[in-house]
Amino acid sequence: MTRRLAEVARKVGVSEATVSRVLNGKPGVSETTREAVLTALDVLGYERPTQLRGDRARLVGLVLPELQNPIFPAFAEVVGGALAQQGFTPVLCTRTVGGVSEAEYVDLLLQQQVSGVVFAGGLYAQADASHAHYELILERRLPAVLVNASVDHLGFPQVSCDDKVAAEMALGHLRSLGHERVGMVLGPKDHMPSRRKLETFLAAGGDPALVEHTMFSLEGGHAAAARLLRSGVTGVVCASDPLALGTIRAARRSGLSVPADVSVVGYDDSALMNCTEPPLTTVRQPIDAMGRAAVDLLVALIGRAAVPADELLFEPELVVRASTARPAAG
């Protein structure tokens, strides 16, 4: 081992410590030096360490925030099927409270020499979160695609549902029914898709006093909506279907009827939203098209095609069901 380090170091013109960092996959070495060290290994007839061999496993990480919101299992099904058609096997990584973090999953995926990663609902969408693990992915040149809006400084291709259009559709629908006092239940304040929806709401004359931020859960929606209902709203636009179901529960526990007293619009059109009571009016994300596009972009990156770090915006669709109606007279 010592002899190998010395020979490679002489060949490249760097220190043995630098060669050791490359062989052990440690950061702090430029990509040019790393490639020179690996080339020197090949030239001198030494076998590369397993984790540094050129052929990556035909595995693709699919990193999701949770599986309780039905939109994420549905997205995993689309992406998994599209990957299988391209000859790749998805590795599902789901964050849980107190469990494996997104950064830890990235470390595990790098160790497994995956060919690429698709992220959905990740920390890239939260302005105040740590993004060091995304920088590590860029440093290692691992192909990755992000689904839905990210903070500005990350350089990955993105596939997004158009949050601006989604908010316009939901708000326009309620106003067309005659609702004037419309509130919003959004995700955390640093959540980029929620920020986009809020900007659209305010630009359309929405009242900032009728906006509540909460965690993406039924319980979060319930608590946020309870505050809005005390403000006398007759319509509520929600940033996810679970938030909308929480809003409906809050209305009922306040003695109000949906949609007779309060109209509610969700977002995603996840599974079974047509089976709720009442069936939920919601803005549908085109997850089939988005999932296939994410895989196509990733496969292009894996094939070393030039893929710009742009955002592909997909048009949502308003699905009108029974949770919205004209406001009660008087």
Side-chain angles (χ1 to χ4, degrees):
M1 179 68 175
T2 303
R3 179 184 166 197
R4 179 175 66 166
L5 287 176
E7 283 191 50
V8 173
R10 279 197 303 273
K11 182 79 173 175
V12 181
V14 297
S15 69
E16 292 182 30
T18 297
V19 175
S20 178
R21 293 183 75 81
V22 172
L23 298 184
N24 289 294
K26 301 293 185 183
V29 181
S30 72
E31 189 61 29
T32 302
T33 300
R34 194 179 82 87
E35 289 297 334
V37 168
L38 294 177
T39 301
L41 279 176
D42 298 337
V43 169
L44 293 170
Y46 293 119
E47 188 173 340
R48 295 187 183 194
T50 303
Q51 71 271 23
L52 296 177
R53 290 174 189 164
D55 292 333
R56 293 183 179 274
R58 290 188 69 81
L59 303 174
V60 169
L62 175 55
V63 184
L64 303 176
E66 41 126 342
L67 295 178
Q68 291 184 339
N69 183 340
I71 199 69
F72 290 118
F75 183 76
E77 184 177 5
V78 172
V79 171
L83 285 170
Q85 289 176 347
Q86 300 272 10
F88 292 93
T89 301
V91 179
L92 182 61
C93 304
T94 308
R95 302 195 329 254
T96 55
V97 177
V100 180
S101 69
E102 192 173 84
E104 289 168 333
Y105 272 130
V106 166
D107 286 339
L108 289 170
L109 292 171
L110 286 169
Q111 290 172 23
Q112 292 299 315
Q113 284 288 286
V114 296
S115 296
V117 187
V118 176
F119 290 91
L123 296 179
Y124 58 83
Q126 292 179 233
D128 297 339
S130 170
H131 300 126
H133 53 292
Y134 299 113
E135 293 161 9
L136 179 61
I137 289 173
L138 289 171
E139 180 186 316
R140 298 288 184 87
R141 297 189 179 183
L142 178 67
V145 176
L146 312 181
V147 177
N148 283 328
S150 78
V151 296
D152 290 338
H153 66 272
L154 298 176
F156 297 99
Q158 292 172 237
V159 172
S160 301
C161 188
D162 195 324
D163 294 296
K164 179 177 183 293
V165 172
E168 288 173 345
M169 285 179 169
L171 186 59
H173 172 62
L174 289 178
R175 286 182 171 170
S176 72
L177 291 172
H179 293 273
E180 297 177 0
R181 197 162 176 78
V182 176
M184 275 198 125
V185 176
L186 298 172
K189 290 183 178 180
D190 70 333
H191 182 246
M192 301 309 294
S194 293
R195 283 187 178 182
R196 290 182 174 184
K197 291 181 175 73
L198 175 59
E199 288 169 3
T200 303
F201 178 76
L202 297 178
D207 185 349
L210 299 180
V211 175
E212 291 288 340
H213 293 274
T214 186
M215 301 306 296
F216 279 104
S217 66
L218 190 146
E219 293 78 13
H222 183 161
R227 294 189 292 270
L228 277 181
L229 293 171
R230 290 193 290 269
S231 300
V233 297
T234 65
V236 182
V237 174
C238 301
S240 76
D241 290 340
L243 290 177
L245 296 181
T247 297
I248 291 172
R249 189 172 75 176
R252 286 180 174 154
R253 293 196 179 173
S254 298
L256 301 174
S257 174
V258 177
D261 300 311
V262 182
S263 286
V264 179
V265 182
Y267 178 73
D268 284 336
D269 195 30
S270 46
L272 306 181
M273 290 306 104
N274 61 334
C275 300
T276 59
E277 181 51 45
L280 185 68
T281 295
T282 189
V283 179
R284 176 182 294 159
Q285 287 201 71
I287 60 167
D288 285 349
M290 290 170 62
R292 288 195 300 271
V295 170
D296 287 344
L297 285 172
L298 189 73
V299 171
L301 285 170
I302 292 170
R304 307 204 175 191
V307 178
D310 293 335
E311 183 177 27
L312 298 181
L313 288 177
F314 285 74
E315 191 90 356
E317 176 188 356
L318 178 68
V319 181
V320 179
R321 297 193 181 105
S323 66
T324 53
R326 293 190 173 277

